[in-house]
Amino acid sequence: MPELPEVQRAVNLIKRVGLGKRITRVETVEDALVFAGVTHSEFAQQLEDRKITNVHRYGKQFYIELDGKGKLPVLHFGMTGMLQVRGETPFLYKEGPSKKNHSDWPPRFMKFILHLAHEPNSNTQDSSITELAFTDPRRLGRIRLLSSPMTEPPISSLGFDPILSMPSLEDFSTMVLKRSCPIKALLLDQSFSAGVGNWVADEILYHARIHPEQRCNTLTTEQVQNLHHQTKHVCETAVAVDADDSKFPEDWLFKHRWGKGKKEKPSLKLPNGNLASIKWITVGGRTSAYVEELQKNTGRSLGRKRERKTKEEDEGESDLTPISDEEEAPRPKRSRK
């Protein structure tokens, strides 16, 4: 679920509680799946006694810049990863694990905890320790250590970031129209648009008035222009309110899309004041919400029978893996450094 806006919120959180502070201790748990290319103990050794100087995001990946020699932690939330500060109510995703008691510490499914302290010679007299935890119930997140995060995979293999590196309309048009896959599948492809996930893609397509199944190479000039504008606009709007969905505009699909299989009817209204008909289909391996009256498939339809997958659809990202909520990892033994 964490997409570009939620990841930016995590970056903002680290900056708020950790910028300029030193990592005095690192607690980790062994998890050879989430810790990628590094052991949990090596991760702790690399971070200990280094100061946080900055935090950066690209797409759904983010990394912490540290002083001194050594590699930098590069983090990816996957489907259910999140950050939690001890003593603060955590930010919970709209779709995620059950909303259990999050006051316990260390939090369940913790992978590491950073102990952060002000420098002894800093202006503040605050000697308290801030504890920042990375948790991941479904273990689809990844924790890496890299020397140059922006020039190494996974970030170096990503496409444009809608906020940091949005291409020109001309380049964007070329990139879209040369594809034959459904537009929703293309938006989900991280080698095309880094950071766009399921709800962001649906929001973009809703405002651009494009059906999620429409083939890329059938889009009109106007549709491509709308798509280009909304890809950047939706991400910027969500980031501007720190991914707080209660502050999203009332006419956003996000505010009304969660009623699938429920008795209550969505309250989203059409421009003429009538209630919108929100429908759900599967595109690019994900459940896609769209408004029937406003998003017409003006290109070649996929029809009822599933057509052969295109290369773009096959090259999905790891967080599309369907895993049930019951497949949660057992609580491993903690390690202290």
Side-chain angles (χ1 to χ4, degrees), residues 117-164:
H118 287 286
E119 294 281 51
N121 59 351
S122 65
N123 295 328
T124 180
Q125 300 299 314
D126 185 4
S127 60
S128 62
I129 300 293
T130 299
E131 295 184 39
L132 177 67
F134 180 106
T135 66
D136 184 11
R138 293 176 65 182
R139 303 176 68 210
L140 289 170
R142 294 295 178 265
I143 300 169
R144 298 177 171 91
L145 283 177
L146 299 176
S147 299
S148 178
M150 290 299 295
T151 61
E152 298 178 64
I155 293 179
S156 64
S157 62
L158 296 175
F160 67 84
D161 183 290
I163 291 180
L164 301 175

Side-chain angles (χ1 to χ4, degrees), residues 246-275:
S246 69
K247 298 178 181 178
F248 288 175
E250 286 300 319
D251 65 344
W252 271 30
L253 182 61
F254 186 98
K255 308 281 279 191
H256 310 271
R257 60 170 291 153
W258 310 103
K260 183 182 179 183
K262 299 179 181 180
K263 292 182 179 180
E264 62 267 23
K265 294 183 178 180
S267 57
L268 179 63
K269 291 186 178 181
L270 299 170
N272 62 11
N274 294 333
L275 286 178

Side-chain angles (χ1 to χ4, degrees), residues 31-51:
D31 192 322
L33 179 60
V34 177
F35 285 93
V38 63
T39 67
H40 69 106
S41 57
E42 290 170 340
F43 177 83
Q45 292 169 2
Q46 283 280 311
L47 270 61
E48 192 172 88
D49 199 32
R50 296 172 71 187
K51 182 170 67 175

Side-chain angles (χ1 to χ4, degrees), residues 305-317:
K305 293 184 179 180
R306 180 171 178 80
E307 296 184 358
R308 180 179 61 84
K309 286 184 178 181
T310 64
K311 180 181 179 182
E312 289 84 1
E313 287 179 281
D314 287 332
E315 293 178 347
E317 56 180 330

Side-chain angles (χ1 to χ4, degrees), residues 85-103:
V85 177
R86 185 170 190 173
E88 295 187 8
T89 302
F91 171 70
L92 302 177
Y93 308 125
K94 187 73 175 182
E95 283 189 325
S98 58
K99 308 299 187 291
K100 298 177 181 178
N101 187 352
H102 291 276
S103 62

Side-chain angles (χ1 to χ4, degrees), residues 37-311:
V38 63
T39 67
H40 69 106
S41 57
E42 290 170 340
F43 177 83
Q45 292 169 2
Q46 283 280 311
L47 270 61
E48 192 172 88
D49 199 32
R50 296 172 71 187
K51 182 170 67 175
I52 297 177
T53 59
N54 212 337
V55 191
H56 305 273
R57 179 198 59 76
Y58 193 93
K60 300 179 188 180
Q61 306 281 340
F62 64 108
Y63 66 95
I64 304 174
E65 191 175 294
L66 304 172
D67 71 352
K69 295 182 180 180
K71 296 182 178 181
L72 306 178
V74 180
L75 311 171
H76 181 249
F77 283 143
M79 286 288 283
T80 57
M82 61 181 287
L83 296 180
Q84 185 173 347
V85 177
R86 185 170 190 173
E88 295 187 8
T89 302
F91 171 70
L92 302 177
Y93 308 125
K94 187 73 175 182
E95 283 189 325
S98 58
K99 308 299 187 291
K100 298 177 181 178
N101 187 352
H102 291 276
S103 62
D104 294 340
W105 199 267
R108 197 180 183 199
F109 309 117
M110 177 271 286
K111 302 305 171 185
F112 68 76
I113 298 176
L114 304 182
H115 292 248
L116 308 170
H118 287 286
E119 294 281 51
N121 59 351
S122 65
N123 295 328
T124 180
Q125 300 299 314
D126 185 4
S127 60
S128 62
I129 300 293
T130 299
E131 295 184 39
L132 177 67
F134 180 106
T135 66
D136 184 11
R138 293 176 65 182
R139 303 176 68 210
L140 289 170
R142 294 295 178 265
I143 300 169
R144 298 177 171 91
L145 283 177
L146 299 176
S147 299
S148 178
M150 290 299 295
T151 61
E152 298 178 64
I155 293 179
S156 64
S157 62
L158 296 175
F160 67 84
D161 183 290
I163 291 180
L164 301 175
S165 56
M166 188 70 192
S168 67
L169 175 58
E170 181 180 1
D171 290 343
F172 181 80
S173 180
T174 300
M175 294 164 62
V176 171
L177 295 176
K178 71 179 182 180
R179 311 295 184 101
S180 60
C181 63
I183 186 59
K184 172 68 181 287
L186 180 62
L187 291 176
L188 292 177
D189 186 341
Q190 298 301 288
S191 67
F192 175 74
S193 52
V196 175
N198 199 43
W199 80 258
V200 171
D202 284 350
E203 199 67 45
I204 290 169
L205 293 173
Y206 165 65
H207 292 290
R209 302 298 193 248
I210 299 172
H211 192 284
E213 284 186 322
Q214 184 162 344
R215 298 282 175 169
C216 298
N217 55 5
T218 69
L219 295 174
T220 66
T221 299
E222 182 181 5
Q223 285 178 315
V224 174
Q225 290 174 342
N226 291 339
L227 185 67
H228 180 265
H229 171 72
Q230 295 297 341
T231 298
K232 185 176 179 67
H233 177 70
V234 166
C235 292
E236 287 182 335
T237 302
V239 166
V241 296
D242 207 24
D244 183 349
D245 60 79
S246 69
K247 298 178 181 178
F248 288 175
E250 286 300 319
D251 65 344
W252 271 30
L253 182 61
F254 186 98
K255 308 281 279 191
H256 310 271
R257 60 170 291 153
W258 310 103
K260 183 182 179 183
K262 299 179 181 180
K263 292 182 179 180
E264 62 267 23
K265 294 183 178 180
S267 57
L268 179 63
K269 291 186 178 181
L270 299 170
N272 62 11
N274 294 333
L275 286 178
S277 302
I278 299 179
K279 302 294 184 180
W280 291 268
I281 53 174
T282 300
V283 186
R286 304 303 302 271
T287 299
S288 304
Y290 71 100
V291 174
E292 186 177 39
E293 295 88 348
L294 302 177
Q295 295 171 259
K296 303 293 185 181
N297 190 345
T298 59
R300 181 163 60 90
S301 174
L302 290 177
R304 291 182 177 274
K305 293 184 179 180
R306 180 171 178 80
E307 296 184 358
R308 180 179 61 84
K309 286 184 178 181
T310 64
K311 180 181 179 182

